[in-house]
Amino acid sequence: MSLVDQLQTLKTAAFGDIQTASSTQALDELRVKFLGKKGLLTDILKGVSSLEVSERPKIGQVANDVKTEIQALYQEKLGLLQTQERDAKLKEEAVDVSMPGYVKWTGLRHPLNQVLLEVQEIFQKLGFSVKEGPDVESDYYNFEALNIPKDHPARDMHDTFYLKNGDVLRTHTSPVQIRTMKAQTPPIRIIVPGKVYRCDTDVTHSPMFHQVEGLYVDTDVTFAQLKGTLSHFLKEFFGQDKKVRFRPSYFPFTEPSTEVDVQCVKCEGHGCNICKRTGWLEILGAGMVNRKVFESVGYDPDVVTGFAFGLGIERLAMLKYGIPDIRLFYENDKRFLSQFGLSQSPLVAAMTAPTPAMPLYPSKVQVK
Ligand code: DAH
C-alpha cells in the first residue's frame, strides 16, 4: 500500500475511533495511539526516508493535512466529552438546597447551674466573691466551730453521712465560713456554692444537693443590712413585685436567726398546693453571726459583726420553674434539660447562645 493510502487508512480509522470514544480518557489514549511520538502516524512517516527526494514534500503535505484533520476532530470531540462529563458530575453531585441541614445539638446549661449563675450574679454585683471548700469535712468544721457541739440536737436534723475516720460528708456549706474567716481578716463578703450531703430522699430531698452559703463580716454590720441584702436578692431572683418576710428562727451559728419567705410564686399569696395554703414559700435561713463562731475563728466579737445565710439551689430552681420532683435534675433526660436553655440573665444568655448550625456529619457531597 502506498504511503498516501496508508495515511488515508489511518485517517479513516482515527476518525472512526475518535467519533465513538466515550470518555476524555479513552479519547486521550486515541491521541497517543495515532498522533503520539511512538504512534501510528510516526510509524508511517518512517517510510518517507525510502522515497525519492522529489516525492517527499507531497507525502509530507498529505501527512500534515491528515494530522491537522485528526487533531481538529480530536479537539471537537474533547470539548463535547468534557461538557458531557461535567454535566454528569454536576447531576450526580447535585445539592438539594431545600433539604434541611444537619443541625448541631448544642449543649445547654443545666438548670441547677443556670440558677446558681443567677444567684452568683446578683451577689457579685453587691461585691460578694465566690469561695469553695471541700466536700469531705472534719467534725470540727462542719459542726463544732459552728457552735454545734456533740450531742447538740441540731445534729439530728442533718442526717449526716459519717466516714470511718470520723470525718463527714459536709451537711451544709457553712463550714466554708469558718475556713474563710480563719484564713482572712475582715471585711469578708463571700458566697459559697457547693454540693452538700444528707441521708434523706423523697420528691423534694436528695442525698446530694446544692447550697449557697453567704457571709458578710465587717465592723458595724447590722440586721438591717441583712434584711436589705436578702430582700434585694429575693426580689431580683423571683420578681420585684414579690413580697418578702422575715420570721424568727433558730440556728446554732447565728443569733438572732431568721427564716426568710417569699410570696408564693404560683398563687401570689392566696394559698395553693405549692405553698401549703400559707401564701408563702420558705427560701433561706439567715442570721447575725453568733459570737461563739467569731470566737472559734479568733475574731473579737466586740469588734466585728456579720450576717450569714444559706439557701438550697434545687429548691430555688423547683420553685422558680415549677419542677415537681427533685430527681429530674439528676436523670439527665434531654426532654427535661432542653427546656431550660435560655435565661433572662444576659450573662447566662451570652454563655448559652447557640453556635451557628453546621453539619454534624461530613456531607456526602464533596465541595471542591
Ligand atoms: N446551714 C443551714 C442549713 O443547711 C443553712 C443556714 C442557715 C446557713 C442560717 C446560714 C445561716 O449561714 O445563717 O440548713
Side-chain angles (χ1 to χ4, degrees):
M1 212 194 301
S2 75
L3 280 184
V4 174
D5 287 347
Q6 283 183 40
L7 286 169
Q8 284 309 331
T9 312
L10 174 90
K11 178 180 149 187
T12 314
F15 268 49
D17 285 359
I18 288 174
Q19 264 152 359
T20 54
S22 58
S23 69
T24 49
Q25 194 192 340
L27 186 67
D28 197 57
E29 282 162 15
L30 292 175
R31 182 185 58 75
V32 174
K33 176 178 161 191
F34 288 105
L35 305 178
K37 246 190 220 159
K38 294 178 185 163
L40 296 175
L41 182 66
T42 314
D43 274 353
I44 296 171
L45 291 178
K46 278 179 191 155
V48 172
S49 57
S50 60
L51 292 179
E52 294 287 327
V53 176
S54 61
E55 288 196 38
R56 290 184 191 173
K58 189 181 159 232
I59 292 299
Q61 181 63 48
V62 175
N64 263 341
D65 290 349
V66 166
K67 188 176 176 183
T68 312
E69 285 176 78
I70 295 175
Q71 272 173 339
L73 184 68
Y74 165 83
Q75 282 302 338
E76 190 186 321
K77 185 71 181 182
L78 182 65
L80 209 73
L81 286 174
Q82 279 175 338
T83 312
Q84 273 176 12
E85 285 176 7
R86 196 178 52 237
D87 287 353
K89 199 169 165 201
L90 283 176
K91 206 166 165 188
E92 186 190 292
E93 295 179 351
V95 176
D96 180 353
V97 291
S98 67
M99 253 171 83
Y102 296 99
V103 177
K104 189 180 175 196
W105 162 257
T106 6
L108 301 168
R109 210 161 274 284
H110 191 281
L112 291 178
N113 268 331
Q114 201 173 295
V115 166
L116 174 59
L117 277 172
E118 284 181 51
V119 173
Q120 277 179 200
E121 207 188 335
I122 297 169
F123 282 105
Q124 278 174 330
K125 282 183 185 164
L126 296 177
F128 285 74
S129 55
V130 177
K131 279 263 171 202
E132 288 185 28
D135 289 18
V136 175
E137 270 296 8
S138 63
D139 187 277
Y140 172 78
Y141 281 112
N142 197 80
F143 293 122
E144 207 89 17
L146 287 160
N147 192 32
I148 315 175
K150 292 218 163 53
D151 305 322
H152 192 286
R155 288 205 181 196
D156 297 345
M157 289 159 36
H158 283 230
D159 302 309
T160 314
F161 286 112
Y162 285 94
L163 276 67
K164 282 206 178 101
N165 67 358
D167 284 349
V168 299
L169 294 184
R170 65 177 175 190
T171 57
H172 51 179
T173 40
S174 306
V176 186
Q177 284 188 26
I178 305 297
R179 289 180 174 276
T180 310
M181 285 193 281
K182 281 193 177 221
Q184 285 171 228
T185 50
I188 289 173
R189 223 178 316 183
I190 55 162
I191 51 168
V192 182
K195 291 180 170 53
V196 299
Y197 305 84
R198 290 184 198 180
C199 189
D200 194 2
T201 181
D202 60 38
V203 290
T204 55
H205 294 89
S206 156
M208 184 280 300
F209 60 105
H210 299 80
Q211 284 189 338
V212 173
E213 187 79 12
L215 177 69
Y216 176 29
V217 180
D218 203 344
T219 50
D220 304 321
V221 175
T222 66
F223 197 88
Q225 288 173 331
L226 177 159
K227 286 184 74 179
T229 305
L230 296 179
S231 300
H232 170 79
F233 162 68
L234 290 170
K235 283 168 184 280
E236 284 285 304
F237 188 82
F238 285 108
Q240 296 298 332
D241 55 322
K242 297 283 178 296
K243 287 194 181 122
V244 173
R245 77 173 181 187
F246 292 77
R247 282 179 293 109
S249 185
Y250 171 78
F251 299 102
F253 30 88
T254 46
E255 182 61 35
S257 302
T258 175
E259 272 175 88
V260 192
D261 302 344
V262 74
Q263 208 178 24
C264 181
V265 288
K266 189 177 172 200
C267 66
E268 308 271 314
H270 299 296
C272 68
N273 56 333
I274 301 275
C275 59
K276 300 192 191 115
R277 320 251 157 247
T278 63
W280 295 96
L281 301 168
E282 290 175 20
I283 303 294
L284 46 82
M288 301 307 290
V289 178
N290 194 311
R291 296 174 63 89
K292 296 233 175 84
V293 173
F294 283 142
E295 278 161 12
S296 68
V297 298
Y299 286 4
D300 184 346
D302 290 326
V303 177
V304 293
T305 54
F307 68 76
F309 56 91
L311 52 85
I313 290 292
E314 277 80 351
R315 182 163 167 78
L316 279 188
M318 289 170 84
L319 293 173
K320 184 159 182 172
Y321 297 114
I323 298 164
D325 188 330
I326 196 167
R327 286 164 292 201
L328 286 164
F329 291 123
Y330 315 117
E331 284 166 357
N332 289 332
D333 186 331
K334 274 205 312 202
R335 291 168 303 177
F336 170 73
L337 295 177
S338 63
Q339 297 174 52
F340 302 95
L342 299 171
S343 159
Q344 261 65 46
S345 150
L347 178 72
V348 176
M351 284 192 282
T352 55
T355 50
M358 57 185 288
L360 185 51
Y361 304 105
S363 161
K364 206 177 72 183
V365 177
Q366 299 288 315
V367 179
K368 294 216 175 88

